[in-house]
Amino acid sequence: MNHLSLFSSGLEVADLLLTSGLLHSSWDAILDTQKQFYPFDTTTTLLPSVKCKVHNYPPNGSIIAFVSSPQSTVHHFQTQGRDLISSQELKVAFNLFDFIGTKVNPFFSIQKTAVLVFSSILDELTLLRNQIGNSSPLIITGHDLGGSIASLFTLWILDTILPSSSSKRPICITFGSPLLGDIYFQKAISERPTWNSSFFHVVSNKDLVPHLFISQTNVTSGSSTSLNIAYRPFGTYFLCSELGCACFEEPDSILELLVTSMGSNFALHQPNSLQIADYGMILEHLVCRSICRGVSLVDNSITNLQAGIVIHLKAIGVETQGNGGGLNSLTATTAERARKTLTQKNSIFDPNEKLTNRKIDLTYLEWYIKMSEDQGGYYDNYKNKQPGTREQIKSREQIIKRHRALTQYWKRMVTEVEKMPQKEGANFRLRWLYGGTNYRRMVEPLDIADYYKKGLKDYVAHGRSQHYVMLEKWLNEDKPVEGAKVRNYACSLTEDSCFWAHVEEAILSCRSMGLDMQLSREKLIMFERYVMNLIRNFAVSPEIFLPKSSFMQWWEEYNVIVGSSYESALCDFMRNHYRSYA
């Protein structure tokens, strides 16, 4: 994929937000809440307070607006409010936000003042969360520190929505909110695309608050030596200037653009003359202004993606050209980050979209199972690779193709589930466990056949793929402990997908009796018990008893070795009862 096939939709998304009325409705709710709780703005060094109010959003939705005293917030942040608090401290001191951590990013940090304020009104927020119920749509909004609390409250609600739930997720819209957490906080949220896409942060290039926790040393594409303490943005940023607005999603580009606009913001260096951005006036100005989209301002040699980025940056008042007239480094870097993000989005693994094709693949394998009865069953027909007719060869090629597609899909699925947080992963794997179990029982025997055809030994210890191990582990974890239905008929697919590996090892043990009689005998006795346990529980398919199957081959050899005088439960079953098993 190259630049010519990629386009950035930042201007279109910004226009959609403007014309949808979401931003105006959110800001109106903030103003109404501000007037009710903070009619007079005073500065204090004490911990800022945050108030919230629920507003109706027609037809049946709600807007929850969080506000604080702007001057109080800015003064507090400038003097003592820049510290982060780690997830370990959060768990011990507040027992909050542990759900944000993921297997890939288990540890993170959040802005300390936001946590303290959130904790101070926890009872009120708990009541609020219970009251809003299934309000749809639900918009959660906030200004400056109120925006930070709105973001944390939104994450708290998102954690209660199960992946398989039909409940609509809330939208969080913040205005002039400071950065909330470190790079690991940002990554933990970005690992859940549905979470990350729920956040829109409106920031004016003249607003002080969003720039409070950044400095030149925070900007980084990996050059900073203090990434573990640097603040990072998440979600979509609606950046605006007097010239226009555009939306950006790449965290590094957003951070760099915030720093670029900070460099020209004189108020940052004048703490006694703080100005709070009036987003009501900013929105009205943006709606009235026509955003220029003409490509005449762009060099014809620039690719479509770069042209879009140039227009986006011009819209928010950022210089795009260097001294030589070409693209400056900021523009080129922003375009490259956008390219990588768009490429990643195009390759995102969507299990729902691909599951239908995988069901078709399984149907082919089911057909192959039925067609294999005369060849000793599914396992042996595949393992022995008889030349056969042209149609048989073609059908085998189809099976190999389907085998490969299914394995690629389920390996990717297991990898994605393992990266999920514990709660989401548990719900997700429960939803897909039936399909994964059928796949494992149907496909792993093919892998076993390929393994022993190469003359290898001990598949379970040395040849088994980790994704099979995890699928089996999840199945065992999710089995009901009590009240499980007792099977009283033979299953169509042998429950233990490693059954044929145990059969192959038993055949090898029979043939190595002369080398180590005692060890081979112990292994064969264990195999007898293993098979008989499966038979008692109807956990093996009747196809294992087909005349040409590897299991029947093992039995014929074993019966000769032990002789007719040897007695055991399995021997009695094989000599007298196996024909009635089905």
Side-chain angles (χ1 to χ4, degrees):
M1 185 177 294
N2 54 44
H3 287 294
L4 293 175
S5 62
L6 295 175
F7 299 87
S8 180
S9 57
L11 290 177
E12 288 75 11
V13 174
D15 275 354
L16 179 62
L17 282 172
L18 276 175
T19 57
S20 68
L22 286 174
L23 300 185
H24 289 79
S25 297
S26 298
W27 183 252
D28 288 345
I30 287 172
L31 283 184
D32 181 74
T33 308
Q34 189 85 42
K35 290 176 182 177
Q36 177 176 342
F37 292 105
Y38 298 106
F40 304 103
D41 197 7
T42 59
T43 300
T44 176
T45 58
L46 298 176
L47 182 70
S49 64
V50 168
K51 301 293 184 180
C52 66
K53 182 179 179 180
V54 180
H55 303 258
N56 292 327
Y57 184 72
N60 299 312
S62 301
I63 298 179
I64 303 175
F66 290 88
V67 298
S68 67
S69 170
Q71 292 288 348
S72 174
T73 299
V74 173
H75 184 87
H76 175 81
F77 281 150
Q78 282 193 318
T79 57
Q80 53 184 305
R82 300 168 183 257
D83 292 341
L84 287 158
I85 183 170
S86 70
S87 52
Q88 297 96 316
E89 294 175 283
L90 277 170
K91 187 173 184 178
V92 173
F94 302 99
N95 195 27
L96 287 173
F97 309 119
D98 188 48
F99 62 85
I100 293 176
T102 67
K103 291 181 180 178
V104 178
N105 290 285
F107 306 112
F108 56 90
S109 296
I110 304 178
Q111 203 280 317
K112 188 172 184 178
T113 298
V115 171
L116 292 173
V117 171
F118 190 95
S119 177
S120 69
I121 57 173
L122 185 59
D123 291 342
E124 180 182 350
L125 295 177
T126 301
L127 181 62
L128 179 61
R129 185 177 66 168
N130 295 335
Q131 285 178 340
I132 58 177
N134 295 320
S135 296
S136 182
L138 175 61
I139 301 170
I140 303 171
T141 189
H143 180 223
D144 58 65
L145 179 59
S148 299
I149 304 304
S151 294
L152 292 176
F153 186 66
T154 302
L155 289 171
W156 206 30
I157 292 178
L158 288 171
D159 179 54
T160 66
I161 301 176
L162 299 177
S164 57
S165 172
S166 60
S167 301
K168 292 186 177 180
R169 289 170 173 77
I171 296 174
C172 180
I173 300 173
T174 72
F175 294 86
S177 179
L179 299 180
L180 186 55
D182 67 356
I183 186 172
Y184 305 107
F185 177 78
Q186 173 253 307
K187 287 184 175 181
I189 295 174
S190 297
E191 285 178 37
R192 301 128 154 144
T194 54
W195 284 26
N196 198 56
S197 62
S198 297
F199 293 89
F200 295 89
H201 306 286
V202 183
V203 173
S204 166
N205 67 333
K206 300 298 184 183
D207 192 352
L208 167 70
V209 177
H211 304 89
L212 286 173
F213 301 149
I214 59 178
S215 65
Q216 294 294 343
T217 57
N218 288 130
V219 184
T220 82
S221 318
S223 59
S224 172
T225 58
S226 57
L227 286 179
N228 60 327
I229 61 171
Y231 281 89
R232 289 297 183 93
F234 65 93
T236 299
Y237 267 67
F238 180 101
L239 302 180
C240 52
S241 72
E242 294 178 352
L243 299 177
C245 59
C247 284
F248 296 85
E249 297 180 358
E250 303 83 38
D252 287 336
S253 294
I254 294 168
L255 191 60
E256 197 161 1
L257 291 171
L258 289 175
V259 173
T260 300
S261 61
M262 180 188 73
S264 59
N265 192 342
F266 183 72
L268 285 172
H269 307 289
Q270 302 292 328
N272 295 323
S273 58
L274 302 176
Q275 291 184 338
I276 306 302
D278 185 342
Y279 282 95
M281 293 184 60
I282 292 172
L283 293 176
E284 289 303 318
H285 172 75
L286 292 175
V287 169
C288 295
R289 181 176 178 80
S290 174
I291 301 176
C292 176
R293 293 187 179 84
V295 295
S296 59
L297 298 176
V298 183
D299 191 310
N300 291 332
S301 64
I302 299 176
T303 66
N304 290 337
L305 179 61
Q306 288 176 335
I309 294 300
V310 168
I311 296 174
H312 293 11
L313 296 182
K314 286 180 177 292
I316 63 172
V318 174
E319 181 58 47
T320 61
Q321 291 185 333
N323 294 332
L327 297 181
N328 61 25
S329 60
L330 173 60
T331 308
T333 302
T334 302
E336 177 59 20
R337 288 170 181 155
R339 183 193 68 78
K340 289 181 179 178
T341 298
L342 291 170
T343 302
Q344 290 171 355
K345 282 186 176 181
N346 290 335
S347 62
I348 286 177
F349 179 66
D350 184 352
N352 294 289
E353 180 181 336
K354 298 179 180 180
L355 184 60
T356 300
N357 292 335
R358 302 295 73 84
K359 288 180 178 178
I360 295 173
D361 293 331
L362 283 175
T363 301
Y364 269 86
L365 292 184
E366 289 171 353
W367 167 83
Y368 189 71
I369 290 173
K370 293 179 180 179
M371 298 297 292
S372 299
E373 290 185 2
D374 293 339
Q375 305 299 323
Y378 175 53
Y379 174 78
D380 286 278
N381 188 26
Y382 181 85
K383 177 188 174 186
N384 294 331
K385 300 183 181 180
Q386 299 296 330
T389 65
R390 183 175 179 181
E391 288 186 359
Q392 289 174 329
I393 294 173
K394 188 174 181 180
S395 68
R396 180 177 176 78
E397 290 174 349
Q398 277 291 325
I399 294 305
I400 294 173
K401 175 183 176 182
R402 306 292 175 174
H403 173 197
R404 186 181 300 115
L406 283 163
T407 298
Q408 288 176 347
Y409 172 82
W410 283 103
K411 278 187 175 180
R412 182 77 182 271
M413 173 74 82
V414 170
T415 300
E416 294 296 322
V417 173
E418 283 195 284
K419 291 192 294 187
M420 289 182 178
Q422 184 174 356
K423 180 189 293 185
E424 292 181 33
N427 285 286
F428 190 85
R429 68 175 183 249
L430 183 62
R431 182 181 177 188
W432 296 96
L433 202 52
Y434 177 78
T437 300
N438 275 349
Y439 154 75
R440 177 172 57 84
R441 292 172 177 171
M442 200 174 291
V443 174
E444 189 167 14
L446 305 184
D447 286 349
I448 293 170
D450 286 333
Y451 185 83
Y452 284 96
K453 190 69 174 178
K454 297 174 184 177
L456 301 173
K457 298 179 181 180
D458 202 353
Y459 166 84
V460 174
H462 304 299
R464 197 179 193 202
S465 173
Q466 182 63 20
H467 79 291
Y468 289 132
V469 176
M470 295 308 299
L471 286 171
E472 184 175 8
K473 176 177 178 288
W474 294 337
L475 177 66
N476 292 332
E477 288 175 350
D478 290 314
K479 279 183 178 179
V481 177
E482 297 179 359
K485 184 178 179 180
V486 178
R487 181 184 291 276
N488 55 15
Y489 57 89
C491 59
S492 57
L493 290 172
T494 299
E495 289 187 359
D496 184 0
S497 56
C498 288
F499 173 81
W500 293 105
H502 295 300
V503 172
E504 294 286 359
E505 292 298 319
I507 293 173
L508 292 174
S509 294
C510 282
R511 295 174 183 176
S512 63
M513 288 288 285
L515 300 176
D516 191 334
M517 176 73 74
Q518 183 176 354
L519 180 60
S520 298
R521 189 76 190 92
E522 289 175 356
K523 289 182 178 179
L524 288 167
I525 290 174
M526 289 178 62
F527 178 68
E528 275 196 66
R529 293 171 180 168
Y530 161 77
V531 174
M532 200 61 218
N533 184 59
L534 293 176
I535 291 171
R536 289 193 181 102
N537 292 295
F538 295 96
V540 288
S541 167
E543 75 158 6
I544 75 168
F545 303 114
L546 292 172
K548 297 180 182 180
S549 77
S550 291
F551 177 76
M552 293 304 290
Q553 176 189 336
W554 166 81
W555 165 244
E556 289 172 5
E557 293 185 24
Y558 186 63
N559 194 32
V560 171
I561 291 172
V562 298
S564 59
S565 62
Y566 174 74
E567 294 183 1
S568 71
L570 180 62
C571 286
D572 177 65
F573 177 84
M574 293 302 298
R575 290 165 183 162
N576 303 303
H577 307 293
Y578 82 86
R579 289 180 178 83
S580 62
Y581 176 76

